[in-house]
Amino acid sequence: MVTQDKILIRGELALIFAVFIDAFGVVLMLYSGAGISAISSLPFAFSEVLPVLTLGTWTYLFQGLLIFSLMIMRKRFVLPYLFSFVVGFIFGELLDFHELWIDILPTALHWRIIYFILSYLIICVGIALSNRCQMPIVPTDLFPRELEDITKIGYPKIKIGFDATCLLVTGVMTVCFLGHLDGLGIGTVAAALTMGKGVGIVGDWMDRHFQFATHRTLHHNG
């Protein structure tokens, strides 16, 4: 129900904004030199080991695997998950789009520190928005949220565990196939270990000040 004490944000607009800034945040974190975000580390590893496909393409292939895994855990076909994959496809294309122009940004050390801090905050905001927009969301954001519902384990623990697993597999892949760690830096590890909490803090702040509704929910309540 819509209340007067909170600012109303349309879920459709929140989703569009979240997908766009999430993709930008991922590319900006990689550009900072501190490492790529944990949720995109596995697709990045595949794009380096098998560069025949772009980072964006590997991203939506990975997201398709996450959707398939959720359906196995649910033991049923879930139609909204397919819409989530469509959003994931757009996210992947946006990754490739941002990579086309990101090189115009300056690369001095102080700028790279700023890029990492901004990218961390951007991704936290994007995920928190995705979790509240009441729309199909990017599978890498959907997976921890749905896993929380399936396992009844708290979201921060699920998110941190998911990110840490992605980093571990990425590290093993790049060392085994490239002979060195690639795409992983101190920023990646720090983000993986803290972003679940960061998303929770941003989400709690959003819950105090905003409410989200889609055209369908507004029409139903009206």
Side-chain angles (χ1 to χ4, degrees):
M1 183 176 67
V2 177
T3 58
Q4 299 300 319
D5 59 333
K6 295 182 181 181
I7 300 172
L8 175 65
I9 296 179
R10 289 292 295 264
E12 297 89 346
L13 296 178
L15 175 64
I16 294 171
F17 182 68
V19 172
F20 188 85
I21 66 170
D22 261 348
F24 174 60
V26 167
V27 174
L28 187 64
M29 184 173 287
L30 181 61
Y31 191 70
S32 75
I36 197 167
S37 67
I39 61 172
S40 293
S41 60
L42 264 180
F44 175 78
F46 276 103
S47 71
E48 292 295 296
V49 173
L50 297 170
V52 65
L53 298 178
T54 65
L55 172 60
T57 302
W58 280 117
T59 295
Y60 61 73
L61 290 177
F62 172 58
Q63 293 178 344
L65 179 62
L66 293 179
I67 292 296
F68 182 67
S69 299
L70 284 174
M71 288 190 183
I72 290 177
M73 286 185 279
R74 291 286 190 187
K75 298 180 180 179
R76 59 187 174 88
F77 178 82
V78 184
L79 182 60
Y81 287 175
L82 295 185
F83 293 115
S84 179
F85 177 75
V86 173
V87 177
F89 175 82
I90 296 172
F91 174 79
E93 293 298 306
L94 284 172
L95 287 177
D96 290 340
F97 166 75
H98 288 306
E99 283 199 315
L100 291 176
W101 67 265
I102 198 74
D103 288 341
I104 68 174
L105 297 179
T107 58
L109 178 60
H110 67 281
W111 279 112
R112 291 184 179 274
I113 294 173
I114 292 172
Y115 296 156
F116 173 73
I117 295 172
L118 283 177
S119 64
Y120 181 95
L121 295 175
I122 287 170
I123 293 172
C124 284
V125 170
I127 294 175
L129 276 174
S130 294
N131 286 342
R132 287 160 177 78
C133 69
Q134 302 178 28
M135 297 285 292
I137 61 176
V138 176
T140 44
D141 293 342
L142 176 75
F143 187 80
R145 192 185 74 180
E146 291 296 291
L147 202 57
E148 176 191 19
D149 182 63
I150 293 170
T151 64
K152 308 307 178 185
I153 299 174
Y155 179 84
K157 291 182 179 179
I158 291 286
K159 175 63 176 170
I160 291 172
F162 176 56
D163 288 353
T165 300
C166 289
L167 292 182
L168 177 62
V169 177
T170 298
V172 171
M173 277 188 61
T174 55
V175 168
C176 290
F177 292 97
L178 302 177
H180 62 275
L181 281 174
D182 197 4
L184 302 184
I186 185 63
T188 309
V189 177
L193 296 177
T194 63
M195 192 165 283
K197 186 66 174 178
V199 172
I201 292 172
V202 174
D204 289 342
W205 178 83
M206 288 182 179
D207 291 339
R208 290 194 298 271
H209 298 281
F210 304 99
Q211 57 185 327
F212 298 84
T214 65
H215 174 77
R216 180 179 60 83
T217 56
L218 286 174
H219 179 74
H220 177 75
N221 292 332

